[in-house]
Amino acid sequence: MANEPLAYIHLDAIRHNFSYAQSLAPKSKVMAIVKADAYGHGAARVCRALTEADAFGVARVIEAVALRESGIDKPIVVLEGFIDEEELNICRINRLTPVLHSGYQVALVKQPRHIDLGIWIKVDTGMHRLGFSVEEFRTGMMTGHSLNVVGVMSHLANADVPGHKENLAQIEVFNEVTRDLDCELSLANSGAIVHYATSHSDWIRPGIMLYGGSPTSVADSNLKPGMTLMAPVVSVNRVCAGESIGYGSNWFAPTDTRVAVVGIGYADGYPREIREGVPVVINGELRPIVGRISMDMTYVQLRDGDDVAPGDLATLWGHGLPVDEVASWIPTISYALMSGLTGRVNRSYEMGDD
């Protein structure tokens, strides 16, 4: 192994998680969300592994074009739609299905040369991020237009908190405004797939759960990690009691100890906000991070008797150390950790997940 971080991508685990989502909503089609390079896992490789997906969802036109150029032929839905006529033309050329959420998009797609382009409409049921208001939707979007509407979707703001009062409120609003429509419907993201069967509709949209991250604060044992992030030990140093290590000199060895220097840092996407005590796994043992994360290096305190040498691998998250657990220490979310990995992290794709 070269001196570089390595993310093992477990494609079988991602397929397992996809099947789990399917099992929860057996009557629904599945739009697998692969935006942000499949949350850092590599969108094209993930799409090729998810052969049973009915469609793929990305955030931006440029992401969809990259998938087309990599040979992905299935329907691709662009969740943020297009921002101008140039992007709308790209959608047509590349057979992309944009989501319309604003009036300027409607004005562009109503032009005669675009009127047959299949589109989704987004209605804002309470998240207030993207989407037509309920009133706009009722009085304008679904009446008086000859748009080629494939489906209508919305998004839950609190699906990561089962039992949150706004979840049922949004589901009720969505059901009410779409009750008499004859197009397909989609509301359920990962949290709703797991916890709100009434939200499943015609399409579900699994995202974080595909990659093994829990869609709520409670771990889901049915999910398998889609990524194991590892990096090599590049040095093992002895630090005397009272001596510090790293920038800022903010950690001092309480006793004579050894510290493993691991070749990963914030330039690789391992956050500088990682604090003392966050665990890593070295040779099967959990050991704490000490000192401040550097651009290229991280420090791990060893115990007496640990047989650790340069070239040994440290696991930052994945098998043996759930990414959600690491995220909780910062605190952040697994989405941010996995999608935040940079191009300096090599990806290695495995068909097996063990």
Side-chain angles (χ1 to χ4, degrees):
M1 178 179 179
N3 180 14
E4 62 178 353
L6 178 62
Y8 289 97
I9 308 302
H10 311 299
L11 294 175
D12 275 4
I14 294 173
R15 287 203 296 258
H16 164 87
N17 297 335
F18 178 91
S19 296
Y20 174 51
Q22 276 185 313
S23 73
L24 295 172
K27 296 181 180 180
S28 302
K29 297 178 185 178
V30 184
M31 185 189 303
I33 304 303
V34 295
K35 63 181 180 177
D37 201 26
Y39 295 39
H41 293 69
R45 294 295 296 268
V46 168
C47 287
R48 285 194 285 270
L50 295 180
T51 56
E52 295 184 29
D54 298 288
F56 298 110
V58 298
R60 300 168 182 167
V61 169
I62 192 170
E63 294 178 312
V65 171
L67 288 179
R68 286 286 186 248
E69 291 176 346
S70 72
I72 303 304
D73 195 50
K74 287 194 175 186
I76 301 176
V77 177
V78 184
L79 299 172
E80 293 180 14
F82 49 85
I83 200 167
D84 55 24
E85 187 161 10
E86 181 179 359
E87 283 202 335
L88 175 54
N89 287 329
I90 292 172
C91 287
R92 171 175 290 283
I93 292 168
N94 289 275
R95 298 175 291 108
L96 310 177
T97 308
V99 177
L100 273 59
H101 53 77
S102 297
Y104 75 89
Q105 295 172 319
V106 176
L108 287 173
V109 85
K110 283 174 63 179
Q111 298 176 74
R113 64 181 178 276
H114 296 307
I115 200 70
D116 63 330
L117 179 68
I119 59 170
W120 281 80
I121 299 293
K122 189 162 194 176
V123 57
D124 177 14
T125 56
M127 188 167 183
H128 305 311
R129 185 175 64 177
L130 291 178
F132 296 95
S133 71
V134 169
E135 186 62 24
E136 289 173 323
F137 182 78
R138 281 177 172 150
T139 60
M141 282 313 306
M142 304 308 292
T143 59
H145 293 302
S146 56
L147 303 178
N148 182 15
V149 178
V150 174
V152 174
M153 68 170 62
S154 191
H155 196 69
L156 296 179
N158 297 282
D160 58 327
V161 185
H164 195 291
K165 64 179 182 179
E166 290 299 324
N167 292 327
L168 291 179
Q170 282 193 256
I171 293 170
E172 183 178 351
V173 170
F174 186 72
N175 289 341
E176 195 276 326
V177 299
T178 61
R179 183 170 292 117
D180 298 324
L181 302 181
D182 59 2
C183 60
E184 297 190 317
L185 307 176
S186 179
L187 179 61
N189 55 6
S190 291
I193 292 168
V194 176
H195 295 286
Y196 292 95
T198 57
S199 73
H200 291 170
S201 298
D202 300 297
W203 288 81
I204 58 171
R205 307 194 305 267
I208 190 63
M209 68 185 301
L210 292 178
Y211 311 105
S214 174
T216 71
S217 60
V218 179
D220 189 334
S221 61
N222 294 293
L223 299 172
K224 296 183 178 182
M227 172 193 294
T228 297
L229 177 64
M230 308 184 82
V233 174
V234 297
S235 180
V236 178
N237 302 330
R238 181 162 293 280
V239 182
C240 296
E243 291 182 338
S244 65
I245 187 170
Y247 287 117
S249 301
N250 61 348
W251 179 83
F252 295 86
T255 60
D256 293 350
T257 190
R258 291 186 306 148
V259 172
V261 181
V262 179
I264 190 169
Y266 59 78
D268 306 295
Y270 194 62
R272 189 173 182 271
E273 293 75 20
I274 292 280
R275 66 179 194 266
E276 180 182 332
V278 173
V280 303
V281 178
I282 300 181
N283 292 344
E285 301 292 340
L286 287 170
R287 296 292 180 260
I289 286 175
V290 294
R292 183 178 295 171
I293 305 297
S294 300
M295 180 178 284
D296 318 290
M297 289 172 281
T298 293
Y299 317 112
V300 179
Q301 185 180 17
L302 303 176
R303 293 182 184 175
D304 292 342
D306 283 350
D307 185 14
V308 176
D312 290 345
L313 293 177
T315 297
L316 291 307
W317 64 68
H319 283 307
L321 184 59
V323 64
D324 293 300
E325 179 180 338
V326 177
S328 70
W329 275 82
I330 298 179
T332 187
I333 54 177
S334 58
Y335 307 66
L337 290 181
M338 293 188 289
S339 65
L341 294 181
T342 72
R344 297 210 315 174
V345 177
N346 188 20
R347 271 73 164 176
S348 176
Y349 292 87
E350 300 182 338
M351 297 308 294
D353 63 341
D354 54 16

